[in-house]
Amino acid sequence: MLKTLLVIAIGFLPSLFSLWMIRKTHLRTRLRMRQAAMNFSGVRVRQIRPVEGDRYYLEGVGYLIGDISCKFNAESGYIRCAVNPSGPCQGCRHYEPKELAAREHRA
C-alpha cells in the first residue's frame, strides 16, 4: 500500500512542478506589465482636443470638427483633415472648397 502511494505521489510531482512554474511566470509577467504601465503613465500623450466653436453636428453622421466646407476635411470627430490634423482651420493655406455633388456626377 505504501509503495502505491509513493508511486502516485511521484507521478504527481511533475504536474505540481509545472503548475508552480506557470504560476511563478504569470506573477513575474504581471509585475513587469504593472511596471511598464507605471512608466508609461508618466509619458505625456499629445491629445487633439477640438475647440467648441470648431465642432459641428451633422445629422446621421454625428459630431465633426474643422471646416466642413473644406475638401480635405476628414469628417471625423477626432481629426480635422489629412493636411492639417491639429488645426486651426482659420487661415489654413491648404483650404480648398468642396465641389458640389452635381458637378462630380457630371464628370
Side-chain angles (χ1 to χ4, degrees), residues 89-101:
C89 291
Q90 292 79 16
C92 179
R93 62 188 175 113
H94 302 287
Y95 175 80
E96 290 183 28
K98 283 185 180 179
E99 295 186 20
L100 297 175

Side-chain angles (χ1 to χ4, degrees), residues 67-85:
D67 188 349
I68 58 176
S69 67
C70 181
K71 177 181 177 181
F72 299 112
N73 187 283
E75 297 179 2
S76 167
Y78 302 105
I79 61 172
R80 287 174 176 80
C81 69
V83 180
N84 188 13

Side-chain angles (χ1 to χ4, degrees), residues 8-23:
I8 291 173
I10 291 174
F12 278 121
L13 280 178
S15 298
L16 292 174
F17 180 73
S18 175
L19 288 174
W20 177 69
M21 290 300 291
I22 289 171
R23 177 147 171 80

Side-chain angles (χ1 to χ4, degrees), residues 49-68:
R49 300 201 179 225
V51 181
E52 284 301 318
D54 204 18
R55 190 173 175 196
Y56 303 94
Y57 182 78
L58 188 60
E59 189 69 35
V61 177
Y63 284 99
L64 305 175
I65 61 172
D67 188 349
I68 58 176

